[in-house]
Amino acid sequence: MTAQALLNLDPVAFREHFGRAPFRIRHRLAGHPLFELPRLVRLGASHPAALVEYNAGDVSIGLDPAVTPRTGLSVEETIRRIETCRSWMVIKHVERDAEYGALLDRCLDEVGVLAEAVDPGMCEREGHVFVSSPGSVTPFHMDHEHNFLLQVRGKKSIRQWDPVDRSVLTEEDLERFYDGAHRNLPYRDEFEPKARTFELEPGDGLHFPINAPHWVKNGDAVSISFSVTFKTPRALRRGALLRVNGRLRGRGWRPSPPGEHPSRDAMKWFLYRAARGARRLVGRGGDDTPTY
């Protein structure tokens, strides 16, 4: 017997908008036992500490990451007290746990059926679980992967911007990000009229194009979301080109954005890969890997 699909994906919307614009989906993960708080406590307790990020949830939209407030609680205590501790948490790379990994694979296998025709070569499949207190805010930022955010419990409001609007997200912002800068972005009130708002409830999902700036505010109850993400060779190549551009700009050049001059992109890509190979040859493989 074929298992029931977890995601309800519209092939027309997928083909027209994937990787370019947000679009809604539906899913069947609301009430799933892997997202009950006791199971998440077990996950947080056993997960590598470096892969759990958490802080106070009462923050500004344009938060400077250097002054992110902490709560002083442990991972497990934060999850147990999430209704009242006013916190925001993400458990990264949950695919390291066999049960969450199997669920991630089911979701991304369904996405892959449609994604392969639009942007082939799905790779670097990752899952992240967000556990947030009522009213908590995720500041204005961008991410580096194709993302489907699946709302499992509670509600959240998402403000998202067009990733190609250079009045909001500059080439310099992108270059710094792919060269290792923090994901948080400078925020200005004049950005707001250009945003699109999405209200998510359990069973709702939303596609985030790569680098689409956004910020999030949770509703008046605990929020749990499952983010299923991946990259493609095209996305990895673009990220590498942006990193190269950042290095060139730092040396006084004015590099062309990826896609503007294919011949220049090809040369940058060739030099990037040659430099990476040379560094690996002399035992410095970690120095040249892009921070995505």
Side-chain angles (χ1 to χ4, degrees):
M1 180 180 296
T2 302
Q4 186 179 36
L6 294 175
L7 308 181
N8 184 354
L9 300 165
D10 180 343
V12 175
F14 198 105
R15 183 172 60 251
E16 292 180 352
H17 301 302
F18 176 73
R20 295 184 292 274
F23 61 92
R24 292 178 174 273
I25 68 170
R26 294 286 296 169
H27 66 85
R28 295 182 175 86
L29 297 183
H32 194 288
L34 287 181
F35 301 105
E36 297 296 329
L37 289 179
R39 181 63 178 93
L40 291 172
V41 170
R42 286 169 46 208
L43 175 65
S46 62
H47 214 58
L51 297 180
V52 182
E53 181 181 351
Y54 60 109
N55 51 252
D58 296 332
V59 299
S60 65
I61 299 169
L63 177 71
D64 179 349
V67 295
T68 301
R70 310 297 175 185
T71 63
L73 300 175
S74 68
V75 173
E76 302 97 298
E77 193 64 18
T78 297
I79 300 173
R80 289 192 183 99
R81 297 171 54 185
I82 197 64
E83 290 189 19
T84 59
C85 69
R86 303 162 73 98
S87 297
W88 171 94
M89 172 182 286
V90 56
I91 308 173
K92 304 176 183 178
H93 292 286
V94 297
E95 70 275 4
R96 290 179 173 226
D97 179 288
E99 291 184 300
Y100 291 90
L103 185 64
L104 174 70
D105 282 340
R106 282 190 63 188
C107 291
L108 286 182
D109 285 349
E110 293 177 19
V111 172
V113 171
L114 298 175
E116 194 65 18
V118 183
D119 190 1
M122 180 186 285
C123 60
E124 298 193 23
R125 297 155 65 116
E126 299 173 0
H128 314 288
V129 176
F130 294 87
V131 186
S132 307
S133 296
S136 63
V137 169
T138 305
F140 186 60
H141 72 285
M142 64 174 156
D143 299 305
H144 56 266
E145 63 272 293
H146 294 297
N147 177 23
F148 287 87
L149 182 71
L150 311 178
Q151 188 68 14
V152 177
R153 173 178 170 178
K155 301 179 182 180
K156 60 178 45 173
S157 179
I158 296 168
R159 298 281 280 168
Q160 187 182 135
W161 282 257
D162 187 340
V164 301
D165 185 344
R166 292 294 169 260
S167 70
V168 176
L169 178 68
T170 68
E171 286 296 321
E172 290 86 346
D173 289 332
L174 286 163
E175 292 164 4
R176 285 190 292 268
F177 176 63
Y178 282 97
D179 199 27
H182 195 274
R183 64 181 178 268
N184 284 12
L185 293 164
Y187 173 79
R188 300 197 300 271
D189 289 338
E190 54 262 37
F191 293 166
E192 278 301 306
K194 297 185 176 184
R196 295 180 63 182
T197 301
F198 299 90
E199 306 290 343
L200 301 188
E201 300 186 0
D204 290 332
L206 183 67
H207 170 58
F208 291 68
I210 294 175
N211 300 145
H214 59 281
W215 66 272
V216 181
K217 183 169 184 178
N218 290 338
D220 57 3
V222 169
S223 172
I224 297 174
S225 308
F226 186 35
S227 183
V228 301
T229 76
F230 65 96
K231 301 188 184 79
T232 62
R234 183 166 68 184
L236 292 171
R237 182 178 185 270
R238 176 175 174 272
L241 294 176
L242 285 165
R243 188 184 191 200
V244 171
N245 280 356
R247 298 296 176 91
L248 292 174
R249 194 180 300 277
R251 289 164 172 77
W253 293 61
R254 297 182 63 185
S256 57
E260 189 170 286
H261 294 287
S263 61
R264 295 180 190 177
D265 289 349
M267 178 59 70
K268 292 173 190 174
W269 180 236
F270 172 79
L271 294 174
Y272 171 83
R273 297 182 70 187
R276 182 171 60 179
R279 287 173 181 254
R280 286 178 175 170
L281 189 63
V282 296
R284 297 177 58 201
D287 293 343
D288 65 321
T289 302
T291 302
Y292 295 117

